[in-house]
Structure formats: C-alpha cells, structure tokens
Amino acid sequence: MIERMSALDGQRVLCLRGPLTVENLSSFQNAIRREENVPTVILDLSDVPYMDSSGLGSLVSAYVTRQKATRRIALSGVNERVLRLFETTKVEPLFLIFPTLDDAITGLTTAAEA
C-alpha cells in the first residue's frame, strides 16, 4: 500500500507500507509515474520490511527515469535489511538516503534553499 502526502512546494512524499516485491510492483510503479512532474519525491520506506530483486529493480528504474528528467528521488527510513541489499548490489550511492522522513524533508528543503 502507498500513501501519498504533500510535503513542501516541489516535494511529494510517498509512504510505502509492506514489502516491495513483484506482487505489488505495479502499484509502486504507477504511484511513481503519477509524480513525474514533481521535482523531488521522497520515498518513506519506514514500513517496508524487505524488498526482492523486482522491487530493487523498480527503485533503480525510478531513479534513472527521474535523473534523466532532472528530478530527484530520496529515500527515508531504510531499515538494516534493505540497506544491506542496496550495499550488496552496489546501488546505495545512487540514492539520497535519510534516517527519517523529517530529516529528508528538512535536508532537501535546506538544500533547495542553499
């Protein structure tokens, strides 16, 4: 399940709940597509216990698509298990990763104003 929240101007927060796997990939991809014109999307993964290779692939795909359009994607609340997956697959450097959603909103807002 994905909950869509507005943050500040130019930011949208998508809170994902449950594992990001092949079973629920289409709802994730649709949610990301709906935000294609938003400069920054923050994906809050606090309630994502794990993801499979399909979930990881769709995250990387979302990153690439947004980069090409000069749009940003940031992650917050990434747990140890998901972070290990990022590190093992060497995709961790692609993402701006913040410990909490508040940190992400604050950090990205400050960066935008700087």
Side-chain angles (χ1 to χ4, degrees):
M1 187 181 109
I2 299 169
E3 182 185 347
R4 185 174 180 238
M5 299 165 25
S6 288
L8 298 158
D9 289 340
Q11 289 183 3
R12 179 86 67 230
V13 176
L14 296 178
C15 298
L16 281 59
R17 310 239 186 281
L20 184 56
T21 60
V22 70
E23 286 84 23
N24 57 22
L25 220 48
S26 62
S27 62
F28 170 72
Q29 290 166 334
N30 290 337
I32 284 287
R33 255 184 241 115
R34 279 194 296 273
E35 310 304 335
E36 66 185 358
N37 295 322
V38 177
T40 302
V41 171
I42 301 169
L43 295 177
D44 182 26
L45 304 180
S46 300
D47 293 325
V48 175
Y50 64 91
M51 63 179 65
D52 65 9
S53 58
S54 306
L56 180 66
S58 69
L59 256 188
V60 171
S61 173
Y63 166 81
V64 170
T65 302
R66 293 188 63 78
Q67 278 295 107
K68 286 181 184 167
T70 63
R71 309 237 184 268
R72 292 191 300 183
I73 190 165
L75 309 178
S76 68
V78 179
N79 71 29
E80 214 37 58
R81 185 175 180 181
V82 173
L83 194 56
R84 271 200 310 275
L85 174 67
F86 288 178
E87 290 166 351
T88 304
T89 55
K90 310 243 187 299
V91 302
E92 184 197 10
L94 297 179
F95 298 103
L96 279 171
I97 300 175
F98 294 90
T100 68
L101 181 55
D102 286 343
D103 290 334
I105 292 169
T106 303
L108 292 167
T109 303
T110 306
E113 290 169 357

